[in-house]
Amino acid sequence: MENPTASELIKKLAEGKISRKEFDLFLSMLDDRKQTENLDEGFWTLFAQLVDGDGPESTKGNNLKK
């Protein structure tokens, strides 16, 4: 993946499909104020999927009760 956004990396991380290089890039984005909006978007999308029960396969069954 060339120049992935923080949101894309969060999705890959949640799915367990992130490479070591992408994970290192993700960690560096946590300190980058320019990535704040992408990080917020990615985490809110992931949390919404978990609450709705549409999250990644690895997290299904661990959803919050409504």
Side-chain angles (χ1 to χ4, degrees), residues 31-57:
D31 289 332
D32 185 353
R33 291 195 183 271
K34 296 175 188 173
Q35 291 293 332
T36 302
E37 188 173 318
N38 284 327
L39 287 165
D40 286 348
E41 177 185 334
F43 281 117
W44 278 111
T45 300
L46 174 62
F47 295 148
Q49 290 173 349
L50 294 174
V51 171
D52 291 341
D54 297 329
E57 288 297 320

Side-chain angles (χ1 to χ4, degrees), residues 11 13-16 46 49-50 54-61 63:
K11 181 179 179 182
L13 180 63
E15 294 172 347
L46 174 62
Q49 290 173 349
L50 294 174
D54 297 329
E57 288 297 320
S58 63
T59 61
K60 287 188 178 176
N63 298 327

Side-chain angles (χ1 to χ4, degrees), residues 3-22:
N3 295 323
T5 65
S7 184
E8 293 169 331
L9 292 175
I10 290 168
K11 181 179 179 182
K12 289 185 82 169
L13 180 63
E15 294 172 347
K17 298 179 181 177
I18 193 167
S19 70
R20 174 64 186 209
K21 184 177 179 182
E22 290 169 331

